[in-house]
Amino acid sequence: MDMSKYSFPRSNYLSWNPYELHKHLINTYVLNRKGNTALLRRDNSKDKRDIDIIRENHKFVWEDDDIPSTWEERLAKKYYDKLFKEFCITDMSKYKENKFAMRWQTEQELVTGKGQFVCANKACSENESLRTWEVNFAYKEDGERKNALVKLRLCSSCSKKLNYAHKKTEIKRPKRKNKLTNDKILSSPIENISEGTVVENIQKKSDEPKDSGEGEEIWKAPLEDVEEISREEEFEKYLEHLLL
């Protein structure tokens, strides 16, 4: 190609500023053919969004001794810390192959009750007759097989899908214990007090004259403490009553 028509005196080059010189060289040697403008486009093949970085460095469970060493891992760990790890959300689209995808609840799902008061199957919105299941979730991460024990709240239909291949463990609420009522304590006081206590002394001294001078001994006898229910036990039983 004849480049004589693109030549300029050297003095012209020296008089141009860097931008003008760059523009001239590009127009002369790079953009002299159709389609060459593609050479000026920035290579964005390695561009990544935050969500891409989180997916690449994601861990289903971060242990206490897992310390992020790069800013990508720190970003993934920061996202993990914002998740709510009481219940899981699951994808059951491949339940017949005994394959389930699991992830933790997000803040929005916690607010709406998805995964706790609404079925945890992401494709289901049932909120009646939910059952709690304990699942040993086996997954592969960084080329290593791992396990995590997670809880799922599922409706009857999705519970059948969960147990399609293997029966999982259902978490049931504990049965309500019989409370020790005050009537039982008052109806049989002697049964709750051991021998040699104030009750027996009162019965022995009741027939003696009041001015015998020995009545004061009654109040000097040691009094055993009747076993009382602590505030923690009362509160626990109160919660059991609410959950039943």
Side-chain angles (χ1 to χ4, degrees):
M1 182 175 62
D2 185 12
M3 300 296 295
S4 59
K5 60 180 180 179
Y6 298 107
S7 61
F8 289 87
R10 180 179 177 81
S11 58
N12 289 356
Y13 289 111
L14 296 176
S15 62
W16 290 342
N17 59 42
Y19 174 73
E20 292 174 338
L21 179 60
H22 171 76
K23 185 177 179 180
H24 169 71
L25 295 175
I26 292 297
N27 290 333
T28 301
Y29 300 106
V30 178
L31 303 181
N32 51 15
R33 286 181 295 178
K34 185 177 180 180
N36 283 353
T37 54
L39 299 174
L40 300 179
R41 295 176 184 173
R42 188 177 65 85
D43 181 16
N44 58 2
S45 61
K46 297 183 180 180
D47 291 353
K48 294 181 181 179
R49 301 171 298 169
D50 288 349
I51 189 62
D52 298 326
I53 296 174
I54 290 173
R55 286 171 178 168
E56 290 178 359
N57 297 271
H58 172 73
K59 288 185 179 182
F60 186 73
V61 176
W62 283 77
E63 302 294 346
D64 295 336
D65 55 351
D66 291 339
I67 301 176
S69 58
T70 63
W71 76 268
E72 291 90 348
E73 291 181 353
R74 288 195 294 269
L75 181 63
K77 179 64 164 60
K78 187 175 181 181
Y79 173 79
Y80 172 83
D81 292 337
K82 292 183 177 181
L83 298 176
F84 295 86
K85 306 165 192 69
E86 179 68 19
F87 298 98
C88 273
I89 305 297
T90 181
D91 183 352
M92 294 185 159
S93 57
K94 296 184 178 181
Y95 74 94
K96 290 186 178 180
E97 303 175 26
N98 198 30
K99 293 181 179 180
F100 302 91
M102 303 276 187
R103 63 171 177 81
W104 301 113
Q105 279 181 307
T106 62
E107 182 178 4
Q108 182 62 27
E109 289 168 338
L110 181 73
V111 172
T112 59
K114 179 65 174 176
Q116 183 174 3
F117 304 110
V118 180
C119 182
N121 184 1
K122 71 173 190 176
C124 180
S125 58
E126 182 64 42
N127 57 5
E128 298 291 339
S129 303
L130 299 183
R131 302 167 68 181
T132 305
W133 297 93
E134 190 174 66
V135 182
N136 184 17
F137 178 49
Y139 60 99
K140 194 172 183 179
E141 189 175 83
D142 297 332
E144 180 182 354
R145 290 190 61 83
K146 298 182 179 180
N147 295 77
L149 203 61
V150 301
K151 287 195 294 184
L152 291 175
R153 293 272 291 163
L154 300 173
C155 64
S156 299
S157 176
C158 293
S159 294
K160 293 179 182 179
K161 293 180 180 179
L162 179 68
N163 296 285
Y164 183 81
H166 301 285
K167 178 70 175 179
K168 306 299 187 298
T169 304
E170 183 177 3
I171 301 177
K172 297 183 178 179
R173 294 172 182 171
K175 294 183 178 179
R176 184 181 178 183
K177 298 179 180 179
N178 294 327
K179 293 184 178 180
L180 185 62
T181 60
N182 293 332
D183 295 338
K184 183 177 180 181
I185 298 176
L186 295 176
S187 62
S188 55
I190 299 179
E191 294 178 0
N192 295 282
I193 305 176
S194 60
E195 295 182 357
T197 57
V198 177
V199 173
E200 288 192 354
N201 289 330
I202 292 175
Q203 292 174 347
K204 292 178 180 180
K205 300 295 182 178
S206 59
D207 297 332
E208 296 181 7
K210 296 182 180 179
D211 57 347
S212 61
E214 299 179 0
E216 296 180 358
E217 299 296 329
I218 297 175
W219 309 106
K220 295 181 181 180
L223 179 62
E224 287 192 8
D225 293 333
V226 180
E227 184 178 356
E228 297 182 357
I229 301 176
S230 65
R231 289 177 59 87
E232 290 77 8
E233 292 175 342
E234 290 182 355
F235 186 67
E236 183 179 352
K237 292 181 178 181
Y238 173 72
L239 290 179
E240 290 179 359
H241 177 69
L242 289 180
L243 294 175
L244 289 176

